[in-house]
């Protein structure tokens, strides 16, 4: 059986490069960005990101694109999706929560919950919803 992977692919309207740079500052790594103009597109969509990818040193993969003006698609956090970071590396997860919240809105502070884990959620400055769960040991 072939390996199967799930990678988040985020859609934006002109903010994909900025978002990938922001996530690189949070998680590490360097974004790799291909613009529509690199593939021959001209006009107002030429500078939009056709495909962007961040491969962070911690193993996270984030892909992103700018939806061209001729297409309609859910963008940002309005598409009914949220991303969850979880594990037991409390220092790393707290750091991600703090960094992702810069310029965004914390909707649930990261703190111990009744189930014994630390949990919090936020909407980042690009309207992407994130939750962080630190496993209680």
């Amino acid at each position: 059986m072939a390996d199967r992977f799930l990678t988040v692919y985020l859609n934006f309207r002109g903010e994909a490069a900025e978002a990938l740079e922001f996530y690189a500052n949070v998680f590490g790594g360097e974004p790799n960005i291909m613009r529509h103009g690199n593939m021959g597109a001209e006009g107002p969509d030429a500078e939009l990101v056709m495909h962007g990818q961040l491969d962070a040193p911690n193993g996270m993969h984030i892909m992103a694109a700018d939806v061209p003006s001729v297409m309609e698609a859910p963008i940002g956090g309005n598409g009914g999706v949220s991303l969850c970071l979880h594990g037991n590396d409390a220092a790393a997860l707290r750091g991600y929560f703090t960094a992702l919240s810069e310029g965004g809105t914390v909707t649930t502070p990261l703190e111990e919950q009744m189930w014994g884990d630390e949990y919090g959620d936020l909407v980042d400055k690009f309207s992407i919803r994130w939750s962080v769960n630190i496993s209680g040991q």
Side-chain angles (χ1 to χ4, degrees), residues 5-13 16-17 19-20 23 32-36 48-55 60-68 71 73-83 128 130:
F5 299 97
L6 175 65
T7 300
V8 63
Y9 205 111
L10 304 172
N11 292 302
F12 296 92
R13 287 267 189 223
L20 285 169
Y23 299 136
N32 183 352
I33 295 173
M34 177 181 18
R35 298 189 184 273
H36 286 270
L48 295 179
V49 174
M50 176 181 256
H51 175 75
Q53 183 167 329
L54 174 66
D55 296 319
M60 289 187 199
H61 303 282
I62 298 174
M63 295 183 186
D66 288 315
V67 177
M71 293 176 62
I75 57 173
N78 298 322
V81 174
S82 66
L83 306 177
I128 303 297
W130 294 84

Side-chain angles (χ1 to χ4, degrees), residues 1-136:
M1 176 188 277
D3 288 333
R4 305 272 188 241
F5 299 97
L6 175 65
T7 300
V8 63
Y9 205 111
L10 304 172
N11 292 302
F12 296 92
R13 287 267 189 223
E15 296 179 313
E18 183 183 352
L20 285 169
E21 290 291 337
F22 176 73
Y23 299 136
N25 287 329
V26 173
F27 301 116
E30 287 292 323
N32 183 352
I33 295 173
M34 177 181 18
R35 298 189 184 273
H36 286 270
N38 298 127
M39 301 304 289
E42 297 178 355
D45 289 345
E47 287 302 309
L48 295 179
V49 174
M50 176 181 256
H51 175 75
Q53 183 167 329
L54 174 66
D55 296 319
N58 63 9
M60 289 187 199
H61 303 282
I62 298 174
M63 295 183 186
D66 288 315
V67 177
S69 59
V70 297
M71 293 176 62
E72 289 188 34
I75 57 173
N78 298 322
V81 174
S82 66
L83 306 177
C84 180
L85 301 172
H86 56 91
N88 57 13
D89 187 339
L93 290 165
R94 285 185 194 113
Y96 297 150
F97 186 89
T98 299
L100 288 166
S101 68
E102 290 180 23
T105 303
V106 173
T107 50
T108 303
L110 184 61
E111 58 191 20
E112 188 172 340
Q113 301 296 322
M114 68 177 103
W115 61 86
D117 293 352
E118 281 184 60
Y119 174 85
D121 54 52
L122 62 98
V123 177
D124 73 20
K125 66 183 179 180
F126 299 102
S127 299
I128 303 297
R129 292 181 218 128
W130 294 84
S131 61
V132 175
N133 193 86
I134 303 169
S135 299

